[in-house]
Amino acid sequence: MTPVPARPALVVFDLDGTLLDTHMDLVESLNHTIAALDLEPVSYDDLTHLVGQGARVMIERACRLRGHPLESDALPSLVERFVAHYAGNMPGRTEPYPGLVAAMDRLKSRGYRLAVCTNKMESLALGLLGKLDLTRYFDAITGGDSFEYRKPDARHLTGTIERAGGDITRTVMIGDSVNDIAVARNAGVPSIAVPFGYSDVPVNTLDPDHIITHFDELTTELVERLIRDFAEKVAV
């Protein structure tokens, strides 16, 4: 097996659609929210066009999808309604994707650091991961309101790396959508895409550095190779 260097690598995960299959609970809470406006429910097929920028944007997009653009002053109460429903029903039917826990155990056993960088509100991310007994795996968990900026702004990822005590030259970002691949590119770190999440386009079109179809493929050997290959590419 590839030996782990003295400086441990940091693997940063997106949350919704990457670490956790949250789609049923997101749809349920979103439909509860827009029901206050007497709008027709959205479906899982709609979700890929709605998620990725946090609850506020998801609600705005859902309302626009249903032909009901919102005035900015209408959003706070709707966000509050969404958060109350979502937080009050955690963890609901949300589950880690197959192979995730074994993959994280594998990485942690080799001294790797792990972190979460999501556009979900930090309190919701912390609450959900806590309910699923997964918080203990992570050296940092940051959300869309943890900083003044969020993915795909590079500073969301670099801030997460700093909080996790990581080294940007020894970091890999894993995600399911354009924001995740873009934030990795903007921050100058290699990216891994997963195709089972909520992207509205095939993830191969996002030009990630690697694609895994199951977390069984997330090995220390893969992480080390991506970091090495990325460093060589940048140096050229």
Side-chain angles (χ1 to χ4, degrees):
M1 298 179 67
T2 304
V4 177
R7 292 177 300 164
L10 169 64
V11 178
V12 182
F13 296 86
D14 173 52
L15 187 66
D16 295 288
T18 301
L19 276 176
L20 304 177
D21 184 356
T22 55
H23 78 273
M24 288 187 286
D25 298 307
L26 288 175
V27 168
E28 184 176 306
S29 291
L30 183 56
N31 284 333
H32 170 79
T33 302
I34 66 175
L37 303 173
D38 294 323
L39 300 182
E40 289 295 316
V42 300
S43 69
Y44 173 66
D45 289 338
D46 299 317
L47 194 62
T48 57
H49 301 278
L50 302 176
V51 299
Q53 293 289 348
R56 181 186 179 95
V57 174
M58 184 165 60
I59 294 166
E60 286 182 309
R61 289 174 175 173
C63 290
R64 195 178 307 121
L65 182 67
R66 290 295 178 255
H68 187 88
L70 289 175
E71 299 293 334
S72 59
D73 60 358
L75 267 172
S77 62
L78 291 172
V79 172
E80 184 177 337
R81 180 179 171 90
F82 176 89
V83 170
H85 187 273
Y86 190 76
N89 289 281
M90 285 179 182
R93 290 173 285 180
T94 289
E95 294 181 337
Y97 281 104
L100 170 69
V101 172
M104 294 196 299
D105 284 334
R106 189 161 55 241
L107 297 175
K108 295 295 281 187
S109 72
R110 300 295 302 283
Y112 281 48
R113 294 176 182 271
L114 305 179
V116 172
C117 180
T118 175
N119 280 341
K120 199 185 204 81
M121 292 171 61
E122 183 179 315
S123 62
L124 294 180
L126 287 169
L128 183 56
L129 289 166
K131 292 283 188 179
L132 293 169
D133 193 29
L134 297 176
T135 309
R136 57 195 169 89
Y137 283 98
F138 301 106
D139 296 278
I141 298 169
T142 68
D145 55 348
S146 299
F147 307 104
E148 294 179 3
Y149 25 80
R150 58 170 59 190
K151 296 183 297 184
D153 191 307
R155 292 171 293 179
H156 191 175
L157 179 53
T158 57
T160 303
I161 295 168
E162 182 178 355
R163 285 195 184 185
D167 179 342
I168 195 167
T169 67
R170 300 271 304 138
T171 296
V172 170
M173 175 76 201
I174 304 179
D176 69 309
S177 68
V178 61
N179 282 335
D180 306 312
I181 308 308
V183 77
R185 186 176 300 115
N186 293 340
V189 304
S191 60
I192 297 174
V194 297
F196 43 72
Y198 310 144
S199 178
D200 59 350
V201 298
V203 293
N204 65 293
T205 66
L206 303 177
D207 197 27
D209 293 287
H210 192 78
I211 296 173
I212 59 173
T213 59
H214 192 285
F215 277 114
D216 287 351
E217 300 168 48
L218 181 58
T219 63
T220 57
E221 290 84 1
L222 172 62
V223 172
E224 294 301 330
R225 177 172 64 80
L226 287 173
I227 290 173
R228 182 181 64 250
D229 291 351
F230 191 84
E232 291 174 354
K233 182 171 66 175
V234 171
V236 172

